[in-house]
Structures are given as C-alpha cells and as structure tokens.
Amino acid sequence: MNRIRRENAALAIPMPACTSAGIDNDQLIAYLKIDAASGNVILTVVNLDPHHAQSGWVDLDVDALKLDAEQPYQVHDL
C-alpha cells in the first residue's frame, strides 16, 4: 500500500476530494480520485460485505476522465 501511495499523486489528495462512481451492486462502493496536475487517476472499489466476494459493473464518466468513449483504454489492478 505504501508503494502504491508513493507512486500515485491522486492518493495524496484529501479524501473529501473524490467523486463517486456508479456501480450496480449495493454491496460495493466506487469512487475516483484525480490529480489534475499529473493526470493520475485512481478508481477504488470497496466491498462492504465482509463475508462474501462481490462483483459489479462500474459506470465511469469518460468525459470527466477526458477519455474518448469510442477508444479503448487500459486500467491496472494495483
């Protein structure tokens, strides 16, 4: 976790400065932290169910992320 924090400027932004992301499972929450200066974006998905693995689809605002919805983009599981 410390390495991930050091390598991602968006994680240095205080917690209230995050944006909710839509997700289709009420046992999950998702939010974005964006560092505008570096362009670094972190999507965090939290499982609220301590007993079961959960899955869901996240609805990303590609316009806010300055992504072209018609082009593929890559994410990395940290």
Side-chain angles (χ1 to χ4, degrees):
M1 284 300 296
N2 288 329
R3 179 186 56 80
I4 293 168
R5 270 191 229 116
R6 280 191 306 271
E7 292 175 356
N8 292 279
L11 293 175
I13 298 169
M15 188 58 178
C18 61
T19 304
S20 292
I23 196 160
D24 68 348
N25 181 335
D26 63 356
Q27 291 299 308
L28 300 171
I29 58 172
Y31 60 90
L32 291 166
K33 292 184 83 177
I34 302 169
D35 178 53
S38 68
N40 182 239
V41 177
I42 295 291
L43 168 66
T44 302
V45 179
V46 180
N47 182 358
L48 301 174
D49 181 348
H51 304 291
H52 302 97
Q54 298 288 327
S55 64
W57 290 96
V58 177
D59 183 23
L60 291 178
D61 183 351
V62 292
D63 292 331
L65 295 172
K66 298 181 175 99
L67 297 172
D68 181 348
E70 301 299 318
Q71 297 296 317
Y73 53 90
Q74 187 173 21
V75 298
H76 300 275
D77 185 357
L78 302 178

